[in-house]
Amino acid sequence: MIATNPTIDRITGKIGDQSLLFQYTVKLILIVSFSELILYRLVSRLGMHLSKLAQEHEWIVPTFTALTQIGQWLLNVVAILLFLALGVAGINRIASRGFTGMNLIIIPCVALLLILTVGFLLIPPAFLGSAIYNFVALVVLICLMVEYLSTHTEWSQRAMGITYLLGIGGWLYYQIVSTIYSFVGTVAAPPFVYEAHRGGEALLVLSSILVMWAYGRGVSFRTRNQRQRRRAIWFWATSVSVFTVMLFLDYLLKRYDPGMAENIRKAADGIGWIFQFGMGYTFFLPFAIYMTGLLCWSYTVIKLLTMGRLAGYGLGLMFIAGYALLYSNLTLMVVLGAMLLTMDRHRRDSTDSAPAANASMAGRQDSLVGGHI
């Protein structure tokens, strides 16, 4: 009679399992990229709407000019850190898995993206160069998502991954096809570019909501843990309240004070314009849906970061990059985020072999580039 060892689920790919170089690089990328999003892509655009106030207050122009310069400096810092993180990640993938399987496509494509990014700094890309860059990025993301789907069997995570790929793929398709048609010089309209652009944005917003279903567990009323139950009550009460208020705010204000409703509507249009140029969202969907996605994404990322899971850093980078990948560093952020997402997964280990594995890990010297990817 053969005895079977019980198995337990373990999460591999935590940030603490990586080398110090990779840990601090990823952490810095998340912090600096979020700062760049606020200071450069969002706040600096706000200065364009303050032309009238700038005539009355002299401090507005130098303040927003300084914020823009800081944001541009952070943009360069993010690019340097991304090169370092992707280089270390590529070396680790080859060291742990060899140059086989998906690595045959992922590693050369990532290297090509880095080379093209440097080349475009010296020679600005033309239409064909931009199309090639976006096509290579799409190939990398498809391969990484195929790897993610093969290692994550839960339907919630697969649904989130597929919707994100289709969403960001809508933007890349829009860019590739439009650029090729411009390069050829044809006057014919590219096929399905408008539908792909709008559909991609909707799917990306849906993916930000599904993030919580896939990773943000612990907000269920059925739990016996009083702390988790209070957290669930707080979260769902806040979510339902924000969604309801945002959905009916315009109607209620119009009934109460049409003038105030008009002013708030103009302010909302200005905010939408800022986010459109900063992150690519056109806000053609109800504003409440975007706020729901932001709330679900924020809660899930903060929870995963406190747990030290690489999925938190990956999801953070993927959605901080936004929908419109207008800069090369935003494309590299999405690629690195997807790569981090594939590193965070469950592994079934035998309980008998777990102590031995832990002992082996404790006694192993960390290499320069650290853990497995």
Side-chain angles (χ1 to χ4, degrees):
M1 183 175 181
I2 301 176
T4 59
N5 294 328
T7 59
I8 56 176
D9 283 336
R10 299 181 182 276
I11 298 176
T12 63
K14 284 193 173 184
I15 189 69
D17 298 335
Q18 310 301 313
S19 67
L20 290 178
L21 175 63
F22 193 74
Q23 286 183 45
Y24 287 110
T25 301
V26 171
K27 291 179 180 180
L28 282 174
I29 290 174
L30 185 65
I31 295 173
V32 177
S33 62
F34 183 73
S35 302
E36 178 269 328
L37 168 65
I38 300 299
L39 295 178
Y40 183 62
R41 283 187 279 158
L42 298 182
V43 174
S44 63
R45 266 71 174 183
L46 182 61
M48 301 178 185
H49 289 271
L50 301 178
S51 56
K52 294 183 179 180
L53 291 177
Q55 297 175 359
E56 302 175 1
H57 305 280
E58 297 181 353
W59 58 269
I60 291 180
V61 174
T63 299
F64 280 92
T65 301
L67 290 176
T68 302
Q69 293 176 349
I70 294 173
Q72 290 176 341
W73 178 77
L74 292 176
L75 199 68
N76 296 327
V77 173
V78 171
I80 295 173
L81 294 174
L82 285 170
F83 269 72
L84 177 59
L86 287 172
V88 172
I91 293 173
N92 278 343
R93 287 183 70 96
I94 295 177
S96 61
R97 306 180 187 181
F99 196 59
T100 58
M102 283 294 181
N103 281 351
L104 289 172
I105 303 176
I106 294 175
I107 298 301
C109 287
V110 171
L112 181 58
L113 284 177
L114 297 178
I115 294 173
L116 289 176
T117 301
V118 175
F120 291 159
L121 294 176
L122 304 175
I123 303 175
F127 291 115
L128 185 59
S130 298
I132 293 175
Y133 190 90
N134 289 320
F135 178 76
V136 174
L138 181 60
V139 172
V140 174
L141 291 176
I142 291 175
C143 292
L144 288 173
M145 199 53 62
V146 169
E147 180 179 325
Y148 175 81
L149 295 177
S150 65
T151 56
H152 294 74
T153 58
E154 296 186 19
W155 284 107
S156 58
Q157 296 177 352
R158 289 186 170 185
M160 185 275 300
I162 292 174
T163 52
Y164 182 87
L165 177 62
L166 294 177
I168 206 68
W171 166 261
L172 292 174
Y173 172 82
Y174 166 77
Q175 287 292 305
I176 293 170
V177 176
S178 299
T179 304
I180 292 177
Y181 270 63
S182 299
F183 174 75
V184 175
T186 179
V187 295
F192 303 109
V193 290
Y194 179 81
E195 293 81 1
H197 186 276
R198 287 298 181 94
E201 179 179 342
L203 287 171
L204 201 67
V205 175
L206 175 61
S207 180
S208 66
I209 298 174
L210 294 178
V211 160
M212 183 176 172
W213 181 37
Y215 288 97
R217 295 172 184 176
V219 288
S220 174
F221 296 110
R222 293 179 296 180
T223 179
R224 296 182 179 180
N225 189 307
Q226 294 296 328
R227 183 178 180 182
Q228 291 184 358
R229 185 176 297 176
R230 287 194 298 268
R231 184 187 304 170
I233 294 173
W234 174 87
F235 178 83
W236 289 114
T238 303
S239 302
V240 173
S241 300
V242 170
F243 183 82
T244 304
V245 170
M246 289 295 176
L247 196 60
F248 296 101
L249 180 63
D250 185 74
Y251 172 77
L252 295 175
L253 287 176
K254 190 174 180 180
R255 294 290 300 271
Y256 175 73
D257 189 345
M260 181 184 295
E262 182 65 23
N263 292 332
I264 292 179
R265 194 179 297 115
K266 290 181 179 179
D269 291 339
I271 294 174
W273 185 88
I274 293 171
F275 273 86
Q276 181 176 357
F277 279 85
M279 302 186 71
Y281 294 114
T282 61
F283 287 86
F284 74 96
L285 298 172
F287 186 72
I289 298 179
Y290 292 92
M291 288 301 300
T292 302
L294 177 62
L295 187 62
C296 292
W297 170 81
S298 301
Y299 171 84
T300 306
V301 169
I302 292 174
K303 178 182 178 180
L304 293 175
L305 290 179
T306 56
M307 296 171 61
R309 292 181 58 175
L310 283 171
Y313 295 90
L315 292 171
L317 292 176
M318 290 162 65
F319 286 94
I320 286 175
Y323 178 58
L325 307 180
L326 297 176
Y327 305 109
S328 58
N329 71 301
L330 301 181
T331 303
L332 297 179
M333 282 172 57
V334 172
V335 172
L336 178 61
M339 195 174 291
L340 294 174
L341 204 61
T342 62
M343 296 164 59
D344 185 291
R345 58 184 181 271
H346 287 276
R347 181 185 64 194
R348 297 189 65 83
D349 290 338
S350 171
T351 55
D352 292 343
S353 61
N358 292 333
S360 176
M361 290 176 63
R364 179 177 55 84
Q365 294 288 338
D366 286 336
S367 64
L368 176 63
V369 293
H372 299 301
I373 292 188

